[in-house]
Amino acid sequence: MNVPSRPLLSEGLQTATGILRLRKGPEDMPTSTGLMWTFLVIDVVMRLVASALIDDQVEYGSAPVIVAIDLAILFIGVKVALMMAMHPERFTQTFTALLGCHVVLLPALLAGQWMQVTYINDQGMAGFAMFLTFLVALWYLVAAVRILRSATGWPTFATVMLVLSIELLAGGIILAIYPPPAEALATPT
């Protein structure tokens, strides 16, 4: 694997931050397979470490399988969308931009999830944590729509449907493999 130089990684993180600030687009991301793989490894490691910390308190499925499904569906969805848009050459930049934005937002997203688990019995803090997690996830979806709209050239509505389809498909497969425990589905009496 061709590991990117430190300046390239720094440039990728700066570009991802610019994309999240709505100041840059995926076309500004360096086209580098090594950078894409580096972002992929960072994303997987951060998710698995966070899952190990959070899963001490909540048991739900196998973290490596969940991460693999999520990333595989994203990979396939982006690849198919770019092929349908007749722009398969944009895959490396597009996927790198999506991963880079996720890596930049992941600490805030995981902090919100950790707060939800830690303060589950405190209504105020749990509500704040859910709101924080929702805002970060929503911002990632906005960035993903902008990235894919730029890469495919499709209208905004079509890219919103694409992003939601990718997320719902990944979530549906994960829920099919690891259904929630019965007590989570029980209605409070």
Side-chain angles (χ1 to χ4, degrees), residues 68-83:
I69 290 170
D70 192 32
L71 289 171
I73 297 299
L74 179 63
F75 179 90
I76 293 167
V78 170
K79 193 80 157 163
V80 168
L82 289 173
M83 287 173 41

Side-chain angles (χ1 to χ4, degrees), residues 44-119:
V44 168
V45 168
M46 286 175 66
R47 286 190 198 195
L48 292 178
V49 167
S51 178
L53 297 174
I54 293 172
D55 280 348
D56 285 345
Q57 299 162 353
V58 175
E59 182 60 38
Y60 178 75
S62 168
V65 173
I66 291 171
V67 170
I69 290 170
D70 192 32
L71 289 171
I73 297 299
L74 179 63
F75 179 90
I76 293 167
V78 170
K79 193 80 157 163
V80 168
L82 289 173
M83 287 173 41
M84 288 174 55
M86 306 296 187
H87 296 296
E89 70 282 357
R90 297 180 182 175
F91 176 77
T92 301
Q93 260 185 323
T94 304
F95 199 63
T96 303
L98 288 167
L99 290 172
C101 289
H102 199 253
V103 164
V104 170
L105 285 178
L106 203 52
L109 187 61
L110 295 174
Q113 290 174 345
W114 175 81
M115 286 174 61
Q116 283 180 24
V117 171
T118 303
Y119 299 110

Side-chain angles (χ1 to χ4, degrees), residues 10-186:
S10 175
E11 183 183 351
L13 289 170
Q14 287 175 348
T15 303
T17 303
I19 292 169
L20 290 168
R21 294 178 61 214
L22 308 178
R23 304 225 190 282
K24 293 187 176 185
E27 62 278 357
D28 298 316
M29 184 63 72
T31 305
S32 167
T33 307
L35 181 61
M36 181 181 70
W37 281 102
T38 301
F39 277 154
L40 182 67
V41 168
I42 292 170
D43 187 72
V44 168
V45 168
M46 286 175 66
R47 286 190 198 195
L48 292 178
V49 167
S51 178
L53 297 174
I54 293 172
D55 280 348
D56 285 345
Q57 299 162 353
V58 175
E59 182 60 38
Y60 178 75
S62 168
V65 173
I66 291 171
V67 170
I69 290 170
D70 192 32
L71 289 171
I73 297 299
L74 179 63
F75 179 90
I76 293 167
V78 170
K79 193 80 157 163
V80 168
L82 289 173
M83 287 173 41
M84 288 174 55
M86 306 296 187
H87 296 296
E89 70 282 357
R90 297 180 182 175
F91 176 77
T92 301
Q93 260 185 323
T94 304
F95 199 63
T96 303
L98 288 167
L99 290 172
C101 289
H102 199 253
V103 164
V104 170
L105 285 178
L106 203 52
L109 187 61
L110 295 174
Q113 290 174 345
W114 175 81
M115 286 174 61
Q116 283 180 24
V117 171
T118 303
Y119 299 110
I120 197 158
N121 294 325
D122 180 353
Q123 291 294 328
M125 285 301 289
F128 173 72
M130 288 172 59
F131 183 68
L132 175 67
T133 304
F134 170 76
L135 285 180
V136 174
L138 182 64
W139 196 251
Y140 176 73
L141 290 176
V142 167
V145 166
R146 286 191 71 240
I147 290 167
L148 289 169
R149 183 173 50 93
S150 177
T152 61
W154 292 349
T156 302
F157 181 76
T159 52
V160 167
M161 292 296 106
L162 172 65
V163 170
L164 290 177
S165 298
I166 290 170
E167 294 297 323
L168 289 173
L169 181 61
I173 291 171
I174 291 167
L175 283 174
I177 295 172
Y178 300 113
E183 62 269 6
L185 299 175

